[in-house]
Amino acid sequence: MAVLEVSGLCKSFGETLAVDGLGFSVGEGETYGLLGPNGAGKTTAISMIAGVLGRDGGEVRVGGQRHHPAGRRTKAMIGYVPQEPALYPDLTGRRNLRFFARLHGLAREEAGRRAAEVLELVGLTGRGDDLVGTYSGGMARRLNIAAGLLNRPRLLILDEPTAGVDPQSRNAIFDAVRRLTADGVAVLYTTHYMEEAERLCDRVGILDGGRMRAEGTRRELVALVGERDQVTLRAEGDLGAAVRALAAIAEAGEVSEREDGVELLVRDARAVLPRILAAVTGTGASVGSVEVREPDLEAVFLHLTGRALRD
């Protein structure tokens, strides 16, 4: 069952189209990753989905119901964790959580019980009675996630939750996400870390320039490049002739000319590399450098957008 359904989502800021016709869905117990570089439109998209930012067009459904920014019933199904922790540093972690739980309408005793539960989930029980101002950045992000879980959401939205955190906190966040999805919570997870998306997400949507370039499981996305290695040669000379020479190599798939060289997809690139170099230099072109990427989400992103994920 789809917990979240998004279709035709659009948002402009002046003449800048930040999100352009975005559509996808997230099912129960699924972690869906929105993967893209900074500025791709990820935060704008999830802010609209969470209802903290108005949208210019499109529809959002949560739990099968139309979701409007002012809709209390659907908002109650969502836990939203922004990039920057929204916490009171002069209160303890536990008091922060009890305060936010009361804002959700929980009675005093239930607020205390729920605060203890989410502290345990994010691995902060031992620091729950310390002031948040004494927490590390990673601990503050974990407490921020705990705050987003107080209302027992069906959909948890995490916006770059591991940016700048230590490895221990990153692993704790991953463990918490896995425990939540095991309980049926749908997780929408934005990141610009390819390795996180590969490790944690059931499906991934590749977002660039506010548009969905492709989506699917890792295997489905890697299949877009034919499960071939991507070879990029920085070269000077007659690049058109170099492209034609490379196209004649039996193992080569798609070959294209780039601004500063040529790129091709090929099976077992390391074995074929001597022939690739011979073909290019045989046209009189000079090769400055060679880069070989084995199939992964980074290679898919480069193939779809023509640039590296973190450019």
Side-chain angles (χ1 to χ4, degrees), residues 65-273:
Q65 303 177 43
R66 286 187 175 181
H67 175 51
H68 302 285
R72 292 187 178 182
R73 180 176 298 179
T74 47
K75 273 192 173 181
M77 302 182 199
I78 299 173
Y80 174 51
V81 182
Q83 286 189 30
E84 296 301 323
L87 304 165
Y88 293 100
D90 53 346
L91 295 178
T92 67
R94 193 180 307 275
R95 284 185 177 274
N96 265 277
L97 295 176
R98 292 178 64 179
F99 171 74
F100 290 122
R102 294 285 283 162
L103 291 182
H104 279 297
L106 275 66
R108 188 179 302 275
E109 290 187 3
E110 175 60 18
R113 286 194 297 270
R114 188 60 183 152
E117 290 171 359
V118 295
L119 279 170
E120 181 179 0
L121 180 65
V122 299
L124 287 176
T125 299
R127 295 294 303 270
D129 295 316
D130 295 340
L131 295 179
V132 169
T134 67
Y135 283 14
S136 68
M139 291 172 59
R141 286 186 180 274
R142 286 153 62 187
L143 189 68
N144 210 37
I145 293 173
L149 296 170
L150 289 165
N151 60 325
R152 293 183 173 87
R154 293 187 61 190
L155 170 67
L156 178 65
I157 301 174
L158 300 173
D159 189 10
E160 303 276 5
T162 65
V165 307
D166 57 275
Q168 180 182 1
S169 290
R170 179 176 284 108
N171 288 331
I173 290 170
F174 290 168
D175 289 342
V177 170
R178 292 190 186 98
R179 291 170 64 182
L180 289 166
T181 55
D183 288 338
V185 177
V187 176
L188 176 57
Y189 190 104
T190 78
T191 182
H192 62 274
Y193 296 124
M194 175 271 294
E195 62 275 14
E196 283 191 5
E198 290 194 318
R199 176 178 172 182
L200 192 63
C201 299
D202 300 298
R203 287 189 301 135
V204 172
I206 294 179
L207 192 66
D208 186 47
R211 298 179 63 191
M212 186 73 80
R213 302 295 178 174
E215 70 168 351
T217 65
R218 181 192 182 281
R219 183 181 297 274
E220 290 168 343
L221 290 171
V222 167
L224 294 176
V225 295
E227 298 190 17
R228 300 186 179 193
D229 300 331
Q230 185 175 51
V231 180
T232 303
L233 298 92
R234 295 187 182 276
E236 295 180 347
D238 189 345
L239 299 182
V243 168
R244 291 190 292 274
L246 289 171
I249 296 176
E251 294 86 353
E254 180 182 337
V255 184
S256 59
E257 180 178 340
R258 306 187 72 83
E259 182 178 351
D260 57 353
V262 294
E263 178 183 289
L264 70 154
L265 301 175
V266 62
R267 295 189 184 279
D268 197 8
R270 300 186 188 280
V272 184
L273 195 56

